[in-house]
Amino acid sequence: MQPLRFKRRSLISAACAAVAAGTLFFSAAPAVMAAVDHDRDTLVFVNFRDLRDLNPHLYAGEMFAQEMLFEGLVTLGNDGEYHGAVAESWTISPDGREYTFKIRPNLKFTDGHPLDAYAVKANFDALIDNKTRHSWLEMMRLLVKVEAPDASTFRIVMKEPYYPMLTELAVTRPFAFVSPNVMKDGKTKNGLKAFVGSGPWILKEHVVDEYSVFEANPDYWGKKPSIKRIIVKVIPDNQTRILALEKGEVDLIWGKNMVDADALNKYRNSKDFGVAVSDPTSTRQIVLNTTNEFLKDKNVRAALQHASNKAVISQGVFHGFEPAADTLYSKAMPYCNIDLKPFAYDMKEAQRLLEASGWKRDGKRAPMMKDGKVLAFDMLYNSNSVSEKTIAEFLQSEWSKIGVQLSIRGEEEQSYRDNMKNGKFDTVFNICWGAPYDPQSSLAAMRQRVYGDYEAQLGLPDKAEIDARITKILTSTDEAERKDLYKYVLTHLHDDAVYIPVTYETNKALFRAELGGVGFLSNQYEIPFADMYWK
């Protein structure tokens, strides 16, 4: 492997410190990493922000990077089946309450610490120590104990059967393993000494807000990548990322919000750049708060559904790269292929529903009025999302045609999420969790104040019954019963018109034509670097 060759690199602060046996570096020094003249062992990827805290037991870091560094007991393949990772095999007791995993022999973390059942238990103990932080996972509520009877055997014992167990163990976080050497007093809730896992890549260098360097783990048990080094550059601005690709400073832009539809459309038939779009991963939606004095009326919510032209949004905002959505979850998601009647775009029907609830207007341009009040509310969106602002402005114009006054407000990401979680919105943009979390994990979270769903549903008369059915879904061991329970929940949420599905989000990639193997995996956050190669 040849050393990195940079055409230009400004000085890095002398305060850079080596961590974890000299493998991890941090610096706050202002530096600009320019074009990289790299060999065919190297790929330059771009992200819109810094990697941040990559502790997989918390929820702050970039998930693609956590997938590179850490692994758990199992993975979920593109074939829809579970495959061994740290565990090479497992058995489930007849009552579905006990999972016994055989740990793959001779595994080590990249700092040399053995990755055996005892290390796995140490990681689970650290997670249990911070159990309230992970309470959104039903698994943590049902967990009785974990044990490692010997170095090759790890066991999880549950109060009740829990059918999504393997799926939750397969996702990016929190059930991924760090070296016990980097824990703080055997715990992880207060941070890590360094980011050391057992995954296919090792983080060798990190300059905050600028770039990171990953190198292939030579001792990784799994597939060996053709490309041995990944450089991740930080470029916050979308247009600057595109320009960097055109100038040859980066090789790959990958992710749902990393490249806009206009750019993808521009390069759709390019000989110099490749375009890839995944199947639907999640649903872009607008959540309607049923505790609002106007939105508590189902007719009003249904009217907004009929007044939302998803086909225009799909083509006008996303050039068709995100197809119009009719249901909360794509029918491709497990248990979601059920017969639900879409709310067709129909402005006359929207008008009729409002009038049926006593709303009247004095002329086509006048607002709807009832009991001296104007039919008006606001829409909250993430100010970092250009597409959300565009959609909000479009709906503001469209809904005005049926006499609804909509004010739109964008807030920075943390404020937006806090207000959504606490129910401080009338209508709000959200995105369902996507594969492999949907539908089971996102439905389970609706029973708690995790995101805006709980607050938005409080005005539904069938809220308690929906929650009860969700709880039963998670512990049901009868497949036919589980399908019926899902059908009840998804039908009621659909008919209650509490969610306006807008488009089915897709993962997108724009890359140099010389780069092969660019695609997508079952986990929407995992970038298949190991499959990529230079042609």
Side-chain angles (χ1 to χ4, degrees):
M1 184 181 295
Q2 297 297 315
L4 290 174
R5 299 193 298 274
F6 301 119
K7 288 184 177 177
R8 183 179 75 248
R9 177 181 172 186
S10 59
L11 293 176
I12 299 176
S13 168
C16 282
V19 183
T23 62
L24 183 60
F25 300 90
F26 295 89
S27 172
V32 176
M33 185 176 175
V36 180
D37 179 20
H38 60 68
D39 55 33
R40 294 174 69 84
D41 277 343
T42 300
L43 182 151
V44 182
F45 171 68
V46 62
N47 196 46
F48 74 105
R49 63 184 173 190
D50 187 69
L51 301 181
R52 300 175 297 147
D53 181 5
L54 295 181
N55 181 351
H57 294 181
L58 299 177
Y59 299 96
E62 294 300 271
M63 295 174 76
F64 80 85
Q66 291 170 325
E67 284 283 349
M68 296 174 74
L69 298 179
F70 309 105
E71 56 186 346
L73 290 165
V74 298
T75 63
L76 181 61
N78 277 11
D79 57 3
E81 300 295 326
Y82 300 103
H83 301 273
V86 171
E88 63 178 356
S89 64
W90 59 91
T91 57
I92 305 171
S93 64
D95 64 2
R97 298 169 189 254
E98 192 171 297
Y99 289 68
T100 302
F101 299 88
K102 285 299 178 182
I103 305 304
R104 197 177 297 275
N106 305 316
L107 291 184
K108 291 184 178 182
F109 292 98
T110 56
D111 64 356
H113 192 288
L115 204 182
D116 53 17
Y118 303 128
V120 172
K121 184 177 183 300
N123 274 264
F124 270 81
D125 287 343
L127 288 164
I128 293 168
D129 179 64
N130 195 23
K131 188 174 182 178
T132 55
R133 181 66 183 86
H134 311 299
S135 61
W136 62 276
L137 289 161
E138 188 73 2
M139 174 186 166
M140 297 302 280
R141 183 182 73 82
L142 298 175
L143 183 66
V144 174
K145 64 178 178 179
V146 296
E147 52 191 20
D150 57 59
S152 63
T153 308
F154 178 71
R155 186 173 296 119
I156 301 174
V157 181
M158 307 287 283
K159 295 177 185 176
E160 300 177 56
Y162 183 55
Y163 100 85
M165 168 75 87
L166 291 176
T167 298
E168 291 190 355
L169 292 178
V171 299
T172 305
R173 56 195 186 198
F175 301 109
F177 308 137
V178 304
S179 169
N181 287 337
V182 302
M183 295 181 180
K184 296 180 179 180
D185 299 320
K187 301 179 181 181
T188 57
K189 64 183 179 183
N190 296 319
L192 300 175
K193 299 175 185 176
F195 303 132
V196 178
S198 62
W201 302 90
I202 302 170
L203 180 58
K204 301 294 290 187
E205 188 174 359
H206 176 215
V207 179
V208 177
D209 289 332
E210 306 220 4
Y211 70 92
S212 304
V213 179
F214 294 82
E215 292 186 0
N217 177 2
D219 300 320
Y220 185 59
W221 63 270
K223 183 177 181 178
K224 306 297 184 185
S226 170
I227 296 172
K228 304 300 182 183
R229 183 187 296 110
I230 306 294
I231 300 173
V232 181
K233 296 180 68 174
V234 177
I235 303 178
D237 179 68
N238 174 65
Q239 293 304 317
T240 306
R241 289 194 294 270
I242 301 296
L243 183 60
L245 181 71
E246 291 177 338
K247 293 168 63 177
E249 295 174 353
V250 301
D251 304 315
L252 170 67
I253 306 174
W254 190 103
K256 289 188 291 186
N257 298 307
M258 286 292 298
V259 54
D260 64 30
D262 288 339
L264 285 181
N265 194 52
K266 174 182 176 182
Y267 295 107
R268 196 190 291 259
N269 299 310
S270 171
K271 294 181 180 179
D272 297 322
F273 301 98
V275 170
V277 180
S278 75
D279 292 333
T281 61
S282 47
T283 309
R284 191 184 300 275
Q285 62 194 242
I286 296 167
V287 186
L288 308 180
N289 193 337
T290 61
T291 66
N292 175 275
E293 63 172 323
F294 304 141
L295 293 172
K296 66 183 179 182
D297 183 345
K298 181 177 175 180
N299 274 357
V300 174
R301 301 195 302 271
L304 297 181
Q305 299 266 1
H306 285 296
S308 302
N309 194 332
K310 291 100 170 272
V312 167
I313 294 172
S314 171
Q315 292 299 323
V317 179
F318 299 108
H319 293 282
F321 290 113
E322 289 193 11
D326 289 323
T327 51
L328 178 59
Y329 300 110
S330 163
K331 287 189 175 184
M333 294 295 170
Y335 301 100
C336 296
N337 189 11
I338 59 179
D339 189 20
L340 298 173
K341 184 179 179 181
F343 290 90
Y345 176 62
D346 188 336
M347 297 295 269
K348 289 183 179 179
E349 177 63 8
Q351 187 88 15
R352 187 195 68 78
L353 286 166
L354 294 180
E355 291 172 353
S357 285
W359 292 95
K360 298 179 181 180
R361 63 194 307 194
D362 184 16
K364 288 187 177 181
R365 295 185 180 276
M368 280 287 187
M369 301 284 295
K370 181 180 177 181
D371 300 328
K373 295 181 179 180
V374 175
L375 183 53
F377 32 79
D378 68 21
M379 178 173 286
L380 174 65
Y381 69 91
N382 182 350
S383 60
N384 294 330
S385 172
V386 175
S387 60
E388 287 185 7
K389 181 181 180 183
T390 303
I391 295 168
E393 290 172 343
F394 172 72
L395 292 177
Q396 183 183 49
S397 174
E398 286 289 283
W399 292 357
S400 70
K401 297 174 184 177
I402 58 169
V404 173
Q405 289 190 350
L406 180 68
S407 59
I408 61 176
R409 59 186 175 98
E411 295 184 358
E412 60 86 21
E413 185 172 359
Q414 191 57 54
S415 174
Y416 151 81
R417 291 191 179 279
D418 289 344
N419 283 327
M420 179 169 60
K421 178 179 179 179
N422 295 317
K424 295 180 179 179
F425 63 88
D426 298 332
T427 69
V428 65
F429 279 88
N430 198 10
I431 296 170
C432 69
W433 297 16
Y437 300 92
D438 288 337
Q440 74 287 337
S441 297
S442 56
L443 285 179
M446 289 179 181
R447 301 166 303 160
Q448 307 173 56
R449 287 182 173 86
V450 177
Y451 287 111
D453 305 274
Y454 180 86
E455 294 287 342
Q457 295 175 17
L458 284 180
L460 297 178
D462 51 355
K463 168 68 172 168
E465 185 58 31
I466 289 173
D467 285 356
R469 301 288 178 112
I470 292 173
T471 299
K472 196 169 183 181
I473 282 171
L474 300 173
T475 58
S476 173
T477 57
D478 184 293
E479 181 71 9
E481 177 190 51
R482 195 182 302 146
K483 288 181 178 178
D484 287 341
L485 290 166
Y486 268 117
K487 185 174 182 179
Y488 177 95
V489 170
L490 296 177
T491 299
H492 276 247
L493 288 175
H494 181 81
D495 292 346
D496 284 334
V498 70
Y499 297 93
I500 301 179
V502 180
T503 58
Y504 293 122
E505 233 189 355
T506 54
N507 243 333
K508 307 168 185 73
L510 180 61
F511 49 94
R512 288 174 54 189
E514 299 90 345
L515 183 64
V518 179
F520 308 94
L521 301 174
S522 64
N523 186 330
Q524 62 180 316
Y525 303 105
E526 184 177 0
I527 304 175
F529 288 123
D531 296 336
M532 297 180 191
Y533 59 92
W534 289 112
K535 298 176 183 178

